Amino acid sequence: MQRLNIDLGERSYEILIGPGIRRRAGEFLKAVFKPSRIVIITHPSINELYGAEVAENFAAQGWTTDIIEIPEGESSKSLTQAEKLYDHLLELNCDRKSVLVALGGGVIGDLVGFIAATYQRGIPFVQMPTTLLSQVDSSVGGKTAVNHPKGKNMIGAFYQPLLVVADLETLATLPVREYRAGLAEIVKYGVISDAKFFEFLETRHKDILNLDHDCLSHIIETSCAIKAEVVEKDERESHYRMILNFGHTLGHVVESLTGYTRYIHGEAVAIGMVRAAELSVTMKRCSAEIPTRLKNLLLKLGLPVEMPDLDTSAVIESLYHDKKTMNHKIKFILVKEIGSIEIVDQVSEGEILAIL
Ligand code: NAD
Ligand code: GLY
């Protein structure tokens, strides 16, 4: 098992990564907190696969343990679902020492984190991510949120977990499309901060697609280490943390203008990263070789790279609603070279239209 520390003063915590460690979550929690009770929140399908053994492990520590199921899908990240969960936690008499356990992907993690941040002004929670995307991105760093009809992740809080327990074995049951979508975020870390890591992904793409154990462990650990370092420098995204949004500016637009049905998040990020690299060439930040190299790697990993046919004025309009847009200036994360990027807000509508 690998242990990474994320150093945020009194909000510091460990990210544990390894095979089979879901069965030891109670033991890990006991080392950092004494809960009054445990409430595991998950989807029915994940409950069926892993719920009983995770619950047994917490119960074995002598803690009353309940499981709450919520429906799958992005629509569960809503204030309506949050209200149902508050009701349920009150029925269970959860107090401020009750610990919520988010067992699932980013939907569960973001929703449970938001509930933990707000129930009785904040109670502790543990992230147990079961998708590749959530193991390398959403479970780390404390961004929690629900959606608003006018925008994704519009209502939320920065709220760090007590612990992250990422069991590599759970990835074996993940649908292949979801696995590939997680790889897009892993490629992102190579582009924003580590050229050698990017080369590793290029050389080992076949092993990665075959879920080679050592390879998987290395790419998850490296990704979490890069994310931890960024979050330690700028926890609340005053500026630097925006680099984690490389590819997301247009990625979010692609997701939203295709009604969140055609692409899953990582696929839209793959498309957005290629466009951001092309914009970097147009804006003379990098050579034309960079988008080609990025595109080749994403294609090898089975990800989409071409922009769908979208109404360009709707794209521009949507970019003005991006959470990074301030004072009517659209921000883009541009590539200088693999491993090095720049946050730019001097991007004109004409330059954006040129790459659509
Ligand atoms: P998800 O949580 O919807 O999970 C995808 C699907 O995989 C679901 O149907 C789920 O039931 C299933 N699943 C999960 N684990 C499984 C397993 N081990 N075996 C079989 N099936 C499994 O999707 P996701 O990609 O993990 O997360 C997407 C969400 O994450 C979005 O809402 C996005 O906004 C959010 N996100 C948040 C952050 C952050 O920093 N907080 C970062 C990136 C993305
Ligand atoms: N997923 C982007 C961030 O955590 O900042």
Side-chain angles (χ1 to χ4, degrees):
M1 180 177 75
Q2 305 293 328
R3 286 177 178 262
L4 287 173
N5 191 49
I6 173 157
D7 188 1
L8 294 168
E10 61 182 15
R11 296 179 305 290
S12 299
Y13 54 95
E14 275 193 315
I15 304 160
L16 310 178
I17 304 162
I21 62 172
R22 66 187 180 282
R23 296 188 205 93
R24 295 175 60 199
E27 174 196 322
F28 302 135
L29 176 60
K30 195 177 185 176
V32 292
F33 195 78
K34 301 278 171 285
S36 57
R37 67 185 301 143
I38 300 285
V39 181
I40 299 167
I41 303 173
T42 192
H43 295 313
S45 59
I46 302 177
N47 192 13
E48 202 169 303
L49 286 164
Y50 306 112
E53 52 189 359
V54 170
E56 267 164 32
N57 187 253
F58 286 112
Q61 306 295 329
W63 305 323
T64 304
T65 302
D66 291 281
I67 304 184
I68 302 179
E69 289 184 348
I70 61 146
E72 297 194 23
E74 189 67 29
S75 58
S76 277
K77 267 176 64 175
S78 68
L79 284 172
T80 313
Q81 186 57 251
E83 197 170 357
K84 286 184 192 161
L85 279 171
Y86 296 135
D87 290 347
H88 210 134
L89 297 182
L90 286 164
E91 277 162 25
L92 291 172
N93 290 318
C94 287
D95 60 23
R96 294 177 97 177
K97 289 204 161 173
S98 302
V99 171
L100 304 186
V101 176
L103 178 66
V107 163
I108 288 283
D110 280 14
L111 172 68
V112 174
F114 176 72
I115 299 292
T118 47
Y119 181 78
Q120 297 193 357
R121 298 202 182 92
I123 62 171
F125 82 114
V126 173
Q127 288 274 18
M128 291 190 68
T130 61
T131 62
L132 184 58
L133 181 137
S134 57
Q135 294 193 350
V136 297
D137 190 356
S138 61
S139 67
V140 175
K143 276 191 181 175
T144 75
V146 292
N147 301 325
H148 184 276
K150 283 198 185 295
K152 198 167 146 73
N153 298 330
M154 281 294 158
I155 321 288
F158 287 96
Y159 193 70
Q160 303 294 342
L162 275 178
L163 190 64
V164 180
V165 181
D167 186 336
L168 301 177
E169 277 178 10
T170 60
L171 300 179
T173 54
L174 192 63
V176 68
R177 188 176 174 198
E178 296 290 347
Y179 180 72
R180 289 178 178 184
L183 292 174
E185 298 284 2
I186 291 174
V187 170
K188 174 191 81 179
Y189 291 118
V191 179
I192 65 171
S193 135
D194 192 337
K196 281 216 160 65
F197 183 50
F198 191 90
E199 280 166 32
F200 178 89
L201 300 174
E202 287 178 317
T203 18
R204 300 290 298 273
H205 67 274
K206 284 194 183 134
D207 294 328
I208 293 168
L209 287 177
N210 288 333
L211 270 81
D212 173 88
H213 187 270
D214 291 343
C215 216
L216 203 50
S217 179
H218 174 68
I219 63 177
I220 293 174
E221 195 197 334
T222 308
S223 300
C224 287
I226 294 172
K227 179 149 188 185
E229 191 239 305
V230 174
V231 172
E232 282 168 358
K233 285 192 180 138
D234 180 18
E235 184 184 359
R236 297 175 70 88
E237 199 170 287
S238 58
H239 185 71
Y240 182 63
R241 185 168 174 167
M242 284 180 202
I243 68 169
L244 296 173
N245 267 295
F246 172 65
H248 287 58
T249 315
L250 274 169
H252 283 151
V253 171
V254 167
E255 271 184 289
S256 111
L257 294 185
T258 53
Y260 296 100
T261 49
R262 182 157 163 199
Y263 301 98
I264 54 176
H265 181 70
E267 293 172 338
V269 168
I271 295 169
M273 287 195 290
V274 174
R275 290 301 125 165
E278 277 165 4
L279 183 62
S280 312
V281 177
T282 310
M283 295 189 69
K284 304 199 180 337
R285 293 315 203 270
C286 73
S287 69
E289 179 219 343
I290 303 288
T292 308
R293 209 173 143 196
L294 177 57
K295 207 168 167 173
N296 287 342
L297 174 58
L298 294 168
L299 283 171
K300 279 181 192 157
L301 296 173
L303 285 155
V305 293
E306 299 303 337
M307 193 78 179
D309 197 14
L310 298 174
D311 173 31
T312 47
S313 53
V315 172
I316 299 293
E317 173 65 24
S318 183
L319 286 171
Y320 282 113
H321 293 302
D322 186 274
K323 284 199 286 312
K324 293 189 295 307
T325 299
M326 268 168 244
N327 300 322
H328 214 59
K329 283 185 175 164
I330 299 168
K331 281 201 178 69
F332 263 92
I333 320 301
L334 299 183
V335 202
K336 291 198 281 186
E337 52 191 302
I338 297 292
S340 170
I341 51 163
E342 193 182 345
I343 302 166
V344 176
D345 65 5
Q346 306 296 332
V347 189
S348 69
E349 288 186 13
E351 282 159 330
I352 298 168
L353 288 172
I355 52 114
L356 292 179

